[in-house]
Amino acid sequence: MLIGGRLVEATGGRTYPVLNPATGAEIGSAPDAGPADLEAAIAAARQAFDGSTWPIDVELRVRCLRELHQALVDAGPAMRALTTAEVGAPVFLTTGPQYDVPVQALSWTIDLAEKYSWETDLGEATMMGLRSRRRLRREATGVVAAITPWNFPNQITLAKIGPALAAGNTVVLKPAPDTPWLACELGRLVAERTGLPPGVLNVVTPRDNATAAGLVTDPRVDQISFTGSTATGRAIMAAAAPSLKRVFLELGGKSAAIVLDDADLRSAVGAAAFAVCVHAGQGCALTTRLLVPRESYDQAVEIAAATMAGLPPSDPTDPGTVCGPVISAAQRDRVLGYLGLARAEGGRFAAGGGTDETKDGGFWIRPTVIAGLDNSARVAREEIFGPVLTVIGHDGDDDAVAIANDSEYGLSGSVDGSPERAAAVAARIRTGTIAVNGGLWYHPDAPFGGYKQSGIGREMGLAGFEEYLETKLVAESVPRRRS
Ligand code: ADP
C-alpha cells in the first residue's frame, strides 16, 4: 500500500488472497489494511493538504501528474496483463476503457487543469451603499476518499484521482477487495516514478468493508467519491451525513435499449445483445433491458439469442474474447440467483440460463436472453451485473418511453430508429447518458453519471473536474473616489 509516501505492508503483515476470475486460482495476496492503516492514510492526506503547497501550486501538480501519466504509459503492457489477470477483463478492452482510454483521459484532465481559470473577475457592484470588487476563486475541496468497485478499476480509479489531484486535493484511494493489485501498482508507480509529495495520494486495501467505512465517517475527510452499488451508495451517503461531507455517487443502472418500429431490427437488437456480453455484463451503464416493438418480439428474441450463441464465455487473454468470466464465486451465485428468479416469475431462456459446465475453474455465466416477462419482473428492475438481457415488448414510442423511465435508475440507454424520432425519444429519457443510433457517449471530455438513484454528480469532463472544487467569493471594498 502507499501511505504517507512510503510503500508499506498492512500493520501486522496481514494479507488476503487475490484470485484470477478466469481460473479461480490464487495469483498472490494483497495487504489487508486494518483501522490503524486507514488512520495513518487519512492523517497523511490531511497533513499533505494542510501543510504542503500541493493545493495551491498548479505547476507542481501538472508536473507530478504528467510524470504519473508517463509512468502509466510505460507500464502499459504490465498493467494491461494485470487487468486481465485480476479483473478477468477481456484483453481487447484493455486497449480501450479497461486501461488505455482512462490513461489518455488523465492526460486530458492535466491539460484542463493547466489552462483552467482558477479565478474569475465578477467586476464591481454596489450593495447598500458599499462598492466592492468581486473575484470568484475555485479551490480544492480537501481530503477526498475515493472508493472504487472491481468492474472497471483503472477507468474508475483514474476518473476519480486524476481530477481530484489535478484540482489540488489529496486522496485516500480504497479499491474493491476483489481487485486490490491494480491500485497497489498505481501506488507503486506514484512512489517510484513521480515527485508527488508524501501523503498526496495514499492507497489502502482493506478486505473488510467495515474497515473501509471508517473513511466515510472520519471528520478529516472532506469528500467521498464513490462508485458501486446503489445499496452501498445509500449507506455511504447516510454515514457521511453527520459530518456533512460532499458526496459524489456513481451507482447502479438498469438501462433500456429502445428499438423503434422504424429501426433496423437486426442490427439494433444484435448490437444490444452484443453489448451485454462485453466483460460478462459487468458494467453499470450497459443496456440490460431491450425494449422492442411488440409485433417484432419473437423475431427480436431470436436475433438476440443467435447473437449470444456466437459469444460464448471464453478465456479473457484470447484477443477474440468478448465475454470473459464474472469476478467471483459470489457474483456468479448472485447472477444465478437472478436467473432462478426469472424462471420463477414465468420467464424463459432463449439463450444461456446458467453457468458454463465445460469450464474447469473460474466463474462463468453463459450469455442469457430472458423472454416472456414485462417491466414489473425483478430481473427487469434490479441490476444483475452479468451477461443477461431481458427482452420486453412495447406498443409504440410513448409506451417505450414510459417503460424505459419506469425504473428507480437513470444511468444510460440507447434509442434506435429514424433519426428524428429517435432523437425525440432520447430527449424524453431520464438518464445521464443516451446513445442514438449507435452513438458513443464515452470520451474523456464527456460527463458521465446518473439521474434518480443512479447517482449524484458527474465523472469525467469539465463537470467531473469541478466535482472536486469549492467556490470562494472574495469581495474587496473599493474606496470611494473623492469628487
Ligand atoms: P459490489 O456490490 O459491486 O461489490 P459495492 O457497492 O458493495 O460493490 O462496493 C463498491 C466499493 O465500496 C468497494 O470498494 C467496497 O469495498 C466498498 N464498500 C462497500 N461497503 C462499504 C461501506 N459501508 N463503506 C465504505 N466502502 C464500502
Side-chain angles (χ1 to χ4, degrees):
M1 304 188 291
L2 176 64
I3 299 179
R6 293 186 333 121
L7 295 173
V8 295
E9 303 293 341
T11 303
R14 292 199 319 167
T15 61
Y16 65 98
V18 177
L19 306 186
N20 179 329
T23 62
E26 193 173 323
I27 51 174
S29 64
D32 184 5
D37 301 309
L38 257 78
E39 158 64 35
I42 296 169
R46 187 74 252 169
Q47 203 193 331
F49 188 80
D50 294 335
S52 83
T53 58
W54 182 259
I56 52 170
D57 190 342
V58 183
E59 247 173 64
L60 170 70
R61 302 204 297 266
V62 166
R63 190 169 68 243
C64 292
L65 291 173
R66 286 216 195 285
E67 289 164 357
L68 176 59
H69 175 257
Q70 189 57 49
L72 288 164
V73 170
D74 295 345
M79 290 294 271
R80 284 191 287 269
L82 180 56
T83 303
T84 297
E86 185 180 47
V87 186
V91 72
F92 93 95
L93 286 177
T94 62
T95 51
Q98 285 283 15
Y99 192 74
D100 286 7
V101 174
V103 172
Q104 283 162 21
L106 174 62
S107 178
W108 183 91
T109 302
I110 301 167
D111 291 346
L112 173 67
E114 203 169 23
K115 57 176 197 269
Y116 189 69
S117 299
W118 300 93
E119 190 168 300
T120 324
D121 189 356
L122 272 194
E124 291 183 7
T126 304
M127 175 62 71
M128 294 180 288
L130 291 175
R131 187 138 190 94
S132 305
R133 173 157 175 244
R134 292 92 31 82
R135 286 176 293 126
L136 203 59
R137 287 170 51 79
R138 302 306 305 269
E139 298 181 343
T141 310
V143 174
V144 175
I147 301 175
T148 56
W150 42 259
N151 61 333
F152 281 80
N154 299 310
Q155 160 62 38
I156 295 164
T157 296
L158 291 174
K160 293 188 188 309
I161 71 154
L165 294 174
N169 301 278
T170 61
V171 174
V172 179
L173 167 65
K174 195 219 77 73
D178 285 313
T179 54
W181 272 7
L182 287 163
C184 291
E185 285 306 313
L186 175 74
R188 188 197 302 278
L189 292 174
V190 165
E192 294 178 350
R193 294 280 312 271
T194 79
L196 243 85
V200 164
L201 177 70
N202 305 274
V203 181
V204 286
T205 55
R207 180 185 206 173
D208 183 11
N209 288 336
T211 305
L215 286 171
V216 185
T217 47
D218 194 294
R220 291 166 295 177
V221 174
D222 298 290
Q223 181 172 9
I224 305 292
S225 179
F226 170 79
T227 298
S229 63
T230 291
T232 301
R234 265 187 218 113
I236 282 182
M237 194 169 174
S243 52
L244 271 179
K245 293 186 196 335
R246 284 174 63 160
V247 180
F248 166 81
L249 301 172
E250 201 277 277
L251 308 175
K254 193 72 198 181
S255 301
I258 300 174
V259 180
L260 303 179
D261 61 16
D262 59 2
D264 177 339
L265 189 75
R266 187 160 295 279
S267 81
V269 170
F274 179 92
V276 293
C277 295
V278 174
H279 192 26
Q282 301 170 109
C284 50
L286 297 178
T287 47
T288 50
R289 292 183 291 155
L290 175 61
L291 314 188
V292 296
R294 199 170 302 282
E295 61 278 12
S296 312
Y297 188 86
D298 292 343
Q299 203 191 342
V301 168
E302 238 170 71
I303 297 167
T307 305
M308 287 191 178
L311 300 166
S314 316
D315 179 359
T317 64
D318 180 340
T321 293
V322 171
C323 179
V326 295
I327 189 74
S328 62
Q331 185 59 23
R332 177 200 58 205
D333 294 346
R334 197 170 161 263
V335 177
L336 290 176
Y338 274 109
L339 297 183
L341 203 57
R343 214 183 288 111
E345 288 189 304
R348 70 179 173 88
F349 302 128
T355 57
D356 185 341
E357 312 294 351
T358 66
K359 300 275 194 300
D360 282 339
F363 318 115
W364 304 92
I365 296 284
R366 283 184 294 133
T368 299
V369 176
I370 300 173
L373 293 176
D374 65 21
N375 201 50
S376 65
R378 275 184 64 189
V379 291
R381 306 200 76 78
E382 297 176 23
E383 188 170 47
I384 297 174
F385 242 63
V388 181
L389 183 67
T390 303
V391 188
I392 298 166
H394 71 74
D395 297 312
D397 298 13
D398 290 347
D399 191 40
V401 169
I403 297 170
N405 286 336
D406 177 17
S407 171
E408 73 177 36
Y409 296 113
L411 194 52
S412 191
S414 69
V415 189
D416 281 86
S418 57
E420 240 170 69
R421 265 176 69 195
V425 166
R428 296 166 65 193
I429 303 301
R430 304 280 300 157
T431 59
T433 51
I434 189 143
V436 177
N437 287 326
L440 193 61
W441 42 257
Y442 175 63
H443 198 269
D445 71 352
F448 172 71
Y451 286 22
K452 302 194 268 183
Q453 295 194 34
S454 287
I456 298 177
R458 291 294 178 272
E459 198 142 77
M460 300 171 69
L462 178 62
F465 179 72
E466 293 185 332
E467 285 290 343
Y468 299 97
L469 290 173
E470 283 284 10
T471 301
K472 178 186 280 174
L473 190 285
V474 182
E476 284 170 46
S477 91
V478 180
R480 276 180 207 208
R481 276 183 223 111
R482 269 193 257 146
S483 49

